[in-house]
Amino acid sequence: MEKEKYLNILSHFSLDEKPLDVKPFGNGHINDTLLVTTDSGKPRYVLQKINHNIFTDVDMLQNNIRIVTAHIKLKLTEAGETDIDRKTLTFLPAEEGKFYWFDGENYWRVSLLIEDSKTYEEVNPQLSYEAGKAFGRFQSMLADIPEGTLGETIPNFHNMEFRLKQFEDAVKDNAAGRLSKVGDLVDEIRSRAKAMCVQEDLYREGKLKKRINHCDTKVNNILFDKDGKVLAVIDLDTVMPGYVLSDIGDFIRTACNTAAEDEADLDKIKVNLDIFKAYAKGYVESAKDFLTPLEISLLPYGGRLLTYMQTVRFLTDYLNGDTYYKIHFPEHNLQRTRAQFRLLQGLEEKADEMDEIIKSYL
Ligand code: GN1
Ligand code: MG
């Protein structure tokens, strides 16, 4: 029985309470997540099966997370904060001093459930401002981790040149025989390719440096308390060094969209500039101690970039025959691609307005 299987997995972790029940939890595209209720009568732990086809170096993954969470706890302590265990994730030890357990086939990890917290799939300007401050602060707290300390848990994760190379390979292979259905999208992607690799160019010219980013700054990766105050930034798998625009970009991509990431009715997809304005304000406030003026001027571009990147990634997966993202129906990745592309067009239309907003914060 499934439950027995999970309880057996949990027996390899050192837990203070006895696990009794396990239920599916959350809606990530990558890992399988379960909520564990204990003999206290309450849900206490989060059990995850790590998708090791995607995170191939689980040791590096959990090591990064341990460094990051310890560093954040230290910074919060130094800042005199209380209730620190609810303000970042805590992973629990398994056997052999590791923070994961391998059952011979799969890798598992357990973290403490942060109680009385909630996530939002949609935000209002106030929550968006709080989220901007939280992600900016998150990056700022990690800014002094020495270069080379954290590994790239997914190499080249947000490297646009690399994503375009994967895309062109997928077009060439046409593995699922779907290319003829998406000619229009292939052209749209190619026509923007050069303009979307600005960060890689600036890095080569020595004008941008790599920074530690969260790389999945979706609204639902922030836990809020019941009063709408940020508790913790979660989903730390992709915290790694990379190009700095990731963390404003993915928030714009997910939160400024008035519709779902995979909305079928494209006319519902609009850009909510109030959300951008609020996020950018919070983000610039807490990240300005490490951001350069060049980086700040690129922030609106970051929204277009990450939306473009997601369009490319969904389409690549569609062409490859849905090997990366979990899909819920056969053409899901195509629907996702079309929705992301429509959002990109919306962001392109608002580019000047977004630049003006950022200028007003400089
Ligand atoms: C994946 O599983 P989830 O929703 O946290 C993906 C992100 C994408 C996102 C698209 C490791 O994140 O990069 O932006 O789906 N994570 C990975 O919704 O590829
Ligand atoms: Mg994620």
Side-chain angles (χ1 to χ4, degrees), residues 80-239:
E81 297 219 10
T82 53
D83 207 10
I84 284 169
D85 279 346
R86 294 178 71 226
K87 294 183 179 165
T88 188
L89 292 174
T90 305
F91 283 86
L92 301 175
E95 291 157 358
E96 298 160 9
K98 291 191 166 36
F99 282 75
Y100 61 87
W101 183 67
F102 181 56
D103 67 7
E105 200 183 331
N106 289 302
Y107 294 84
W108 301 87
R109 65 182 173 200
V110 179
S111 58
L112 289 180
L113 176 73
I114 299 180
E115 286 170 34
D116 300 320
S117 63
K118 57 190 286 187
T119 54
Y120 295 86
E121 296 300 321
E122 270 174 56
V123 289
N124 56 35
Q126 181 56 30
L127 289 174
S128 179
Y129 171 69
E130 295 294 336
K133 276 203 301 196
F135 280 124
R137 186 178 186 204
F138 180 85
Q139 273 185 300
S140 156
M141 285 193 286
L142 302 180
D144 62 341
I145 293 183
E147 216 182 307
T149 308
L150 299 185
E152 285 190 39
T153 53
I154 299 179
N156 293 311
F157 187 49
H158 280 175
N159 180 322
M160 196 60 243
E161 288 178 353
F162 174 77
R163 293 297 180 186
L164 282 164
K165 160 115 192 16
Q166 288 183 316
F167 166 71
E168 289 299 343
D169 288 346
V171 169
K172 191 154 26 87
D173 296 346
N174 191 17
R178 290 167 161 175
L179 183 61
S180 59
K181 292 196 222 169
V182 296
D184 59 327
L185 288 164
V186 171
D187 292 345
E188 296 284 6
I189 285 173
R190 285 183 172 156
S191 72
R192 290 164 175 81
K194 180 84 193 81
M196 287 298 161
C197 293
V198 161
Q199 286 195 112
E200 289 77 7
D201 287 336
L202 289 172
Y203 179 73
R204 274 190 293 269
E205 292 163 21
K207 293 181 185 151
L208 268 193
K209 61 179 247 176
K210 291 204 182 178
R211 301 193 180 282
I212 295 170
N213 304 310
H214 180 277
C215 289
D216 196 12
T217 50
K218 285 191 277 210
V219 194
N220 61 11
N221 280 333
I222 291 191
L223 299 183
F224 291 86
D225 70 10
K226 57 177 183 344
D227 306 319
K229 285 265 166 294
V230 170
L231 278 171
V233 168
I234 59 165
D235 194 357
L236 306 177
D237 295 334
T238 52
V239 178

